[in-house]
């Protein structure tokens, strides 16, 4: 939803009703990850995407129906050889979509969540997507130190459940994880196939991952541009003020004049496992003290530019500095994949390709060279790892929508919407 947050805030500020369709579960070769969203306003304007085109028309109609009825809906889109022309995913995957109507001012959780997302404030947006009918569609906006919204107008009946959801959502926000969680009405983690459960979809919105580019050279300008394209917050750092200027790097979020290792030391509180370091200085007086620190930090990627000879000499110096073989094995040098790159722009594509492959577990082979899965995000999506009522893929928590709760908040309460399946 983050990529359409500005439009949602504009609709919200104008008092315009709309509906948001969000991908809340995937399996197989589905085209979009959980959290992808399409929104439609009361006048029929649409923004965003949930499938890259496969089922957009059907989801658009579901959004219009939700605006008209005021009711949320949970839908499944899949593939079936029996009816190849029905609405669905021709890629063969399965996509679960939750459609929720939004009336500005009617839901404190949604109102606050949309405002936080658009403003860039870290927030976990929690929505009940399956379970007792009285709870489905309830929304909480959870920040590090606060909560907006409520599961029920009578919190005494679901107080324990709400506290458990908030605690789980806050932990997911801290880890930057998006996905689903299944809890019993008493707040305890449950098996997704059990009865009397509540399924929530938690979307964590955190600051963009960081890319630190060391070395204000011409290749760095191209790496900055492609880093921004990939969604990174990009910083260029160089100790030479004549080269490290905003004029030379207009696409960078920050341009810093400092010794690379000293700047890295100052950023320890702002880096995490998503952070990417591209060392392009290929000058030992900058590289060695920087890499000596970088290879011991819990960052996602460290790559360094240089020739084969430069790489051998650099590794030898780092070994002399006391780095272990395990630490040295984290260094991607020479940086990038072998694409035959020559120009700065081609080299930037090579670097970006290696970063994506490292992050996603790609083989770096042509897709035409194998018949295996196209997506490499952790385990096969058809056989996810399961634990504590969660299903996790590559740091994201997912669930199949094969179950909805059958017990109400109180005896006799209505059941939430059952997922309907669209096969193609």
């Amino acid at each position: 939803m983050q990529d359409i947050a500005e439009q949602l805030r504009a609709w919200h500020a104008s008092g315009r009703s709309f509906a948001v369709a969000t991908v809340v579960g995937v399996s197989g070769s589905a085209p979009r990850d959980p959290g992808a969203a399409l929104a439609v306003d009361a006048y029929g304007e649409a923004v965003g995407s949930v499938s890259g085109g496969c089922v957009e028309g059907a989801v658009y109609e579901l959004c219009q129906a939700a605006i008209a009825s005021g009711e949320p809906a949970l839908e499944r889109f899949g593939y079936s050889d029996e009816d190849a022309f029905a609405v669905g995913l021709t890629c063969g995957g399965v996509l679960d979509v939750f459609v929720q109507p939004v009336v500005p001012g009617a839901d404190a959780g949604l109102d606050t969540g949309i405002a936080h997302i658009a403003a860039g404030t870290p927030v976990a947006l929690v929505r009940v997507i399956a379970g007792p009918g009285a709870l489905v569609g309830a929304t909480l906006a959870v920040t590090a130190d606060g909560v907006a919204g409520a599961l029920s107008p009578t919190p005494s009946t679901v107080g324990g459940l709400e506290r458990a959801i908030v605690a789980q959502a806050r932990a997911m926000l801290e880890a930057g994880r998006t996905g689903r969680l299944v809890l019993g009405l008493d707040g305890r983690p449950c098996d997704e196939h059990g009865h009397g459960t509540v399924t929530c979809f938690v979307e964590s919105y955190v600051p963009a991952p960081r890319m630190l580019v060391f070395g204000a050279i011409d290749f760095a300008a191209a790496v900055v541009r492609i880093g921004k394209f990939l969604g990174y917050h990009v910083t260029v750092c160089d100790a030479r003020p004549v080269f490290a200027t905003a004029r030379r790097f207009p696409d960078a979020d920050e341009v810093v004049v400092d010794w690379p290792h000293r700047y890295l030391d100052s950023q320890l509180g702002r880096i995490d496992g998503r952070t990417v370091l591209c060392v392009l200085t290929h000058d030992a007086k900058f590289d060695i003290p920087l890499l000596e620190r970088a290879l011991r930090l819990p960052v996602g990627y460290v790559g360094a530019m240089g020739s084969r000879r430069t790489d051998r000499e650099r590794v030898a110096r780092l070994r002399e500095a006391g780095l272990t073989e395990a630490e040295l094995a984290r260094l991607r040098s020479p940086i990038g994949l072998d694409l035959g790159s020559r120009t700065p722009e081609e080299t930037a594509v090579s670097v970006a390709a290696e970063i994506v492959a490292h992050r996603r577990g790609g083989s770096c082979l042509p897709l035409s060279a194998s018949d295996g899965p196209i997506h490499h995000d952790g385990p096969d999506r058809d056989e996810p790892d399961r634990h504590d009522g969660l299903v996790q893929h590559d740091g994201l928590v997912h669930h199949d929508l094969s179950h909805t709760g059958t017990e109400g908040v109180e005896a006799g309460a209505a059941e939430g919407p059952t997922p309907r399946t669209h096969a193609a």
Side-chain angles (χ1 to χ4, degrees):
M1 193 188 295
Q2 196 160 19
D3 55 342
I4 61 173
E6 282 297 335
Q7 184 62 62
L8 297 188
R9 183 165 64 173
W11 288 348
H12 192 276
S14 68
R16 188 181 306 181
S17 297
F18 54 93
V20 180
T22 306
V23 176
V24 297
V26 298
S27 62
S29 187
R32 299 296 303 273
D33 287 331
L38 179 146
V40 179
D41 74 357
Y43 298 100
E45 182 181 354
V47 294
S49 171
V50 294
S51 69
C54 301
V55 298
E56 304 297 298
V59 174
Y60 179 90
E61 292 178 0
L62 290 172
C63 286
Q64 289 188 311
I67 294 171
S69 69
E71 298 295 328
L74 188 58
E75 302 288 337
R76 169 166 288 176
F77 296 90
Y79 185 86
S80 170
D81 291 329
E82 286 77 20
D83 187 3
F85 294 98
V87 175
L89 299 175
T90 56
C91 59
V94 175
L95 201 67
D96 293 312
V97 178
F98 182 67
V99 183
Q100 183 173 23
V102 180
V103 178
D107 187 317
L110 274 173
D111 293 345
T112 303
I114 290 171
H116 281 331
I117 294 168
T121 303
V123 62
L125 188 66
V126 184
R127 287 179 285 170
V128 178
I129 61 173
L135 298 183
V136 173
T139 304
L140 302 172
V142 181
T143 61
D145 55 3
V147 181
L151 291 185
S152 170
T154 56
S156 60
T157 61
V158 290
L161 173 62
E162 184 169 308
R163 287 191 294 273
I165 290 174
V166 169
Q168 293 269 18
R170 196 161 277 150
M172 292 174 71
L173 175 62
E174 185 175 342
R177 285 165 37 192
T178 286
R180 298 167 60 181
L181 90 109
V182 179
L183 300 175
L185 292 175
D186 58 1
R188 291 183 296 180
C190 289
D191 180 85
E192 61 178 327
H193 300 295
H195 293 286
T197 60
V198 174
T199 301
C200 298
F201 184 66
V202 182
E203 298 174 80
S204 292
Y205 296 97
V206 294
R210 298 191 68 193
M211 173 182 282
L212 306 183
V213 180
F214 296 99
I217 62 175
D218 52 353
F219 286 89
V223 171
V224 167
R225 289 194 294 274
I226 205 163
K228 291 297 296 179
F229 178 75
L230 292 177
Y232 287 93
H233 179 96
V234 183
T235 300
V236 175
C237 176
D238 196 299
R240 302 165 296 181
V242 67
F243 295 116
T245 65
R247 182 182 294 273
R248 295 191 70 221
F249 299 96
D251 297 304
D253 295 290
E254 300 172 288
V255 179
V256 176
V257 178
D258 200 351
W259 279 76
H261 71 280
R262 189 165 58 191
Y263 176 71
L264 183 61
D265 286 344
S266 74
Q267 298 299 298
L268 298 184
R270 295 183 59 201
I271 61 177
D272 56 28
R274 304 175 301 153
T275 302
V276 166
L277 275 64
C278 298
V279 181
L280 310 182
T281 49
H282 53 87
D283 185 328
K285 68 176 178 290
F286 296 126
D287 293 357
I288 301 305
L290 172 61
L291 290 172
E292 187 178 350
R293 290 161 170 78
L295 294 173
R296 289 170 170 162
L297 293 175
V299 296
Y301 172 92
V302 181
M305 179 176 281
S307 66
R308 300 286 185 187
R309 177 179 177 180
T310 297
D311 176 57
R312 288 192 295 269
E313 293 176 350
R314 185 163 49 208
V315 169
R317 292 191 182 195
L318 290 170
R319 190 175 284 115
E320 291 174 1
L323 271 73
T324 66
E325 294 305 312
E327 290 167 339
L328 290 172
R330 298 182 59 213
L331 177 62
R332 299 299 181 116
S333 178
I335 194 171
L337 299 184
D338 182 7
L339 304 182
S341 304
R342 304 291 290 182
T343 68
E345 289 74 21
E346 291 173 346
T347 301
V349 171
S350 168
V351 172
E354 183 174 52
I355 291 170
V356 172
H358 180 67
R359 176 184 176 190
R360 299 297 191 183
S363 67
C364 302
L365 296 174
L367 289 174
S368 59
S370 71
D371 57 2
I374 292 177
H375 303 289
H376 290 268
D377 289 1
D380 191 300
R381 290 185 177 190
D382 293 328
E383 298 181 357
D385 291 332
R386 301 175 186 273
H387 57 92
D388 294 334
L390 306 176
V391 179
Q392 182 168 342
H393 298 287
D394 190 33
L396 300 182
V397 185
H398 308 291
H399 273 291
D400 296 329
L401 291 185
S402 55
H403 164 72
T404 56
T406 58
E407 297 177 15
V409 179
E410 298 174 350
E415 198 176 280
T418 299
R420 289 170 289 180
T421 301
H422 299 261

